[in-house]
Amino acid sequence: MRIAILGTRGIPNHYGGFEQFAEFFSVYLAENGQEVFVYNSHNHPYQENFFKGVHIIHCYDPEGKIGTVGQFIYDLNCILDSRRRNFDIILQLGYTSNSLWHFLLPSKAIIITNMDGLEWKRTKYSKPVQKALKFAEKLAVNKSDYLISDSLGIQKYIKEKYNKDSTYIPYGAIPFSNPDEELLGQYKVEKYNFNMILARLEPENNIETILDGVVLSQDETIILVIGNHDTKFGNYLKKKFNDKSNIRFIGALFNQANLDNLRYYSNLYFHGHSVGGTNPSLLEAMASKALIIAHNNDFNRAILKENAYYFSNAVEVKKRILEIKKNDNLQLIQNNFDAILSEYNWDKINGTYLQLFQKSISKKG
């Protein structure tokens, strides 16, 4: 099969969850004899034309110059390029800025769309943008040949809202098994004596709520805030908590070994995401044997079940910080790790995607 993956900033991953999936899945496809192409932003750090057997197509992406509207132009450029390459399948990861151009997608290709989360709920968007995203969601649902939901909650929502079926395929994570305590020295922390947050610094990820709870607790344990903080909201958070020496904003981090070790050796790992489906960073925390304190919502509970602690406000964060220790909760940690091995492993997930692709081709004849 000749397969294209659109909707990410590119591989190898230097941004987020969809990029991580695109990297793992595209390499898996190439290793299994498929001809696969991934679209990359022209300014992606990786400038080669091949990555581990995967074709890389660089398209102009003006987002860095003109802001969010640049995503629409980048996706348009990717879709226009796809029209001349005779793809059998186009996998779209997300719909926010590409569904607008659905009428330009090549008519002979099978269009498969991963619906991501409920993007229109994100508080970073204005009311008009949220309304536009709802429209984009409707377009993606109605104009795709096949839909993928990365959580049962999203699958249920699509069925109830649009009466459309979708295939449930979550994300995966790689089980972490090689801890290296020496890596902690780079971050000036000691094993099991620091807490952490890993997320994009956006309001719906509840970082401010978590840090308010840290302040309320008056606990001086270091908490690492990992994520790009050179944003409007990031600067707001840095200013608000500037006088709290135990709150350390360390920026974005994509070194997998460092991330895995930080999660493994942390005391409490806060996961504040409240919008979306199966969040990749949550699965990676489970795979790294972190003790997870998660925002209390259906998406997080569907993954973690009773194997985590939850919070809804700063007072509850304070309570978790003062009352919970990692070493007292080893069974919860092991339960989450076992779930990665049995349900959220990449081989199983990649295989399920490939089966869907093969089924779609055979149905087309």
Side-chain angles (χ1 to χ4, degrees), residues 53-301:
V54 177
H55 298 266
I56 304 297
I57 302 173
H58 303 272
C59 280
Y60 179 67
D61 177 4
E63 184 179 3
K65 291 183 177 180
I66 62 175
T68 302
V69 70
Q71 293 180 20
F72 292 87
I73 298 173
Y74 169 58
D75 282 330
L76 172 61
N77 290 336
C78 294
I79 288 171
L80 289 175
D81 182 271
S82 75
R83 291 170 62 86
R84 60 187 182 86
R85 294 189 185 265
N86 198 29
F87 292 123
D88 298 306
I89 292 174
I90 292 178
L91 173 64
Q92 297 188 117
L93 298 178
Y95 62 85
T96 52
S97 53
N98 51 20
S99 63
L100 177 66
W101 312 113
H102 69 88
F103 60 94
L104 292 172
L105 285 162
S107 58
K108 292 183 179 180
I110 297 168
I111 308 301
I112 301 176
T113 303
N114 183 314
M115 291 301 294
D116 199 8
L118 306 178
E119 293 299 300
W120 49 268
K121 279 192 172 183
R122 295 191 186 277
T123 54
K124 70 177 181 179
Y125 296 125
S126 65
K127 293 295 182 183
V129 171
Q130 288 178 333
K131 188 175 181 180
L133 288 173
K134 272 193 175 183
F135 178 66
E137 176 185 88
K138 183 177 181 179
L139 283 176
V141 168
N142 291 323
K143 301 301 180 180
S144 300
D145 297 305
Y146 294 88
L147 301 174
I148 294 171
S149 298
D150 65 32
S151 81
L152 295 173
I154 297 296
Q155 185 184 50
K156 180 182 178 184
Y157 166 78
I158 291 172
K159 184 65 176 177
E160 292 179 349
K161 177 76 173 177
Y162 301 103
N163 194 29
K164 292 278 188 176
D165 292 326
S166 61
T167 302
Y168 166 60
I169 313 178
Y171 288 107
I174 298 173
F176 177 58
S177 57
N178 297 301
D180 181 2
E181 191 178 340
E182 290 186 6
L183 285 174
L184 299 181
Q186 299 178 36
Y187 304 95
K188 299 180 181 178
V189 292
E190 300 175 351
K191 67 176 182 179
Y192 311 130
N193 196 31
F194 68 97
N195 303 322
M196 65 180 286
I197 310 169
L198 170 62
R200 291 183 198 165
L201 273 58
E202 296 175 352
E204 66 267 11
N205 289 337
N206 288 288
I207 297 166
E208 185 173 12
T209 299
I210 295 166
L211 296 180
D212 283 339
V214 170
V215 174
L216 279 177
S217 73
Q218 298 184 331
D219 184 270
E220 292 301 315
T221 302
I222 291 167
I223 182 163
L224 302 179
V225 183
I226 301 175
N228 178 20
H229 50 69
D230 293 324
T231 63
K232 181 179 179 181
F233 190 64
N235 288 327
Y236 161 74
L237 291 175
K238 285 186 290 186
K239 183 176 181 180
K240 177 174 179 176
F241 298 104
N242 181 55
D243 62 339
K244 306 300 177 184
S245 60
N246 62 317
I247 298 176
R248 297 183 186 171
F249 293 87
I250 66 171
L253 179 60
F254 295 102
N255 183 302
Q256 197 66 36
N258 289 23
L259 286 171
D260 286 339
N261 276 282
L262 286 172
R263 287 184 282 236
Y264 181 88
Y265 284 114
S266 65
N267 177 44
L268 305 180
Y269 177 96
F270 286 94
H271 180 77
H273 295 64
S274 61
V275 176
T278 307
N279 185 267
S281 65
L282 177 58
L283 298 180
E284 289 178 354
M286 295 164 66
S288 301
K289 295 189 173 180
L291 177 60
I292 299 167
I293 318 296
H295 182 263
N296 191 3
N297 62 68
D298 291 341
F299 295 114
N300 291 337
R301 282 191 174 273

Side-chain angles (χ1 to χ4, degrees), residues 319-330:
K319 185 176 180 182
R320 301 308 187 206
I321 290 171
L322 295 177
E323 296 180 0
I324 297 171
K325 295 295 181 185
K326 184 169 191 172
N327 288 337
D328 297 331
N329 292 277
L330 298 182

